[in-house]
Amino acid sequence: VTEVTYYRWRQEFGGLKSDQVKRLKDLETENSRLRRAVSDLTLDKLILQEATRAGTHVVWVGIPIVKERQRWDFYRRVNDIYRDTANADPFGTFVDSWEPFEARDGGYTAFVRNERGGLVEVRAPDGVHFTSTGYGFLGKMAIRAADEAFGMPKKAVSFHV
């Protein structure tokens, strides 16, 4: 530790004991995390307000389950933010894309059953993206959600997964 660093620390932390310094650092880290969360919520709300200002309906599609389990907690928290933001606006609705692409045991799967009961691959090998069939399935979910939430007129749109 250089002399300059020592005096800077001494000035910053004064008579604090090491456990108090650690607690202070932990609180600063938590404060930073909470500030980012509030900022993200504010930005999401502003985006939705801008999109719905003229009466436009917004269908907000959540993040689907991915192969890498270490991302799940973060993606679920992001989906909670998206869900809360969309549901707070009368012109917004949220589509949960996690559960429809989840395996029966709650894990990741690249396959789902189509309307005829057949097993089809909907996820790309990277465990993040979709196959063209998967994107069609996701699009169909979004159209159904828009119809249910906003009473959209029946369109001649058909998907076969």
Side-chain angles (χ1 to χ4, degrees):
V1 177
T2 67
E3 190 174 342
V4 172
T5 301
Y6 169 77
Y7 284 111
R8 185 173 47 82
W9 285 353
R10 185 174 166 193
Q11 180 181 2
E12 185 175 346
F13 300 112
L16 295 178
K17 296 178 181 157
S18 64
D19 61 328
Q20 292 173 316
V21 171
K22 182 182 181 329
R23 179 71 179 138
L24 180 62
K25 289 289 187 186
D26 290 344
L27 288 171
E28 288 173 347
T29 301
E30 179 68 6
N31 188 34
S32 175
R33 189 186 67 75
L34 290 172
R35 284 178 189 264
R36 277 194 309 275
V38 167
S39 175
D40 290 347
L41 281 170
T42 303
L43 181 59
D44 291 343
K45 187 175 180 179
L46 287 172
I47 290 169
L48 188 64
Q49 286 174 343
E50 181 66 27
T52 61
R53 183 184 330 213
T56 304
H57 293 95
V58 173
V59 177
W60 202 316
V61 179
I63 301 170
I65 190 170
V66 294
K67 193 184 293 186
E68 290 183 45
R69 190 174 289 267
Q70 65 267 23
R71 294 183 183 194
W72 290 6
D73 286 340
F74 175 74
Y75 287 171
R76 283 183 172 134
R77 286 193 307 267
V78 169
N79 279 342
D80 289 342
I81 292 169
Y82 291 165
R83 180 181 293 104
D84 292 346
T85 302
N87 290 341
D89 190 300
F91 292 107
T93 192
F94 177 80
V95 177
D96 177 13
S97 63
W98 190 279
E99 190 175 317
F101 296 105
E102 189 175 48
R104 288 184 182 176
D105 65 358
Y108 171 85
T109 182
F111 299 87
V112 298
R113 296 215 176 264
N114 63 15
E115 289 116 3
R116 296 176 304 283
L119 202 58
V120 293
E121 187 173 21
V122 293
R123 300 302 291 273
D126 65 4
V128 175
H129 297 94
F130 288 91
T131 63
S132 59
T133 301
Y135 283 117
F137 189 82
L138 194 60
K140 188 174 186 177
M141 288 171 45
I143 289 170
R144 281 185 184 152
D147 184 37
E148 289 173 14
F150 310 124
M152 312 254 320
K154 299 290 181 194
K155 301 258 181 181
V157 177
S158 64
F159 288 90
H160 298 287
V161 180

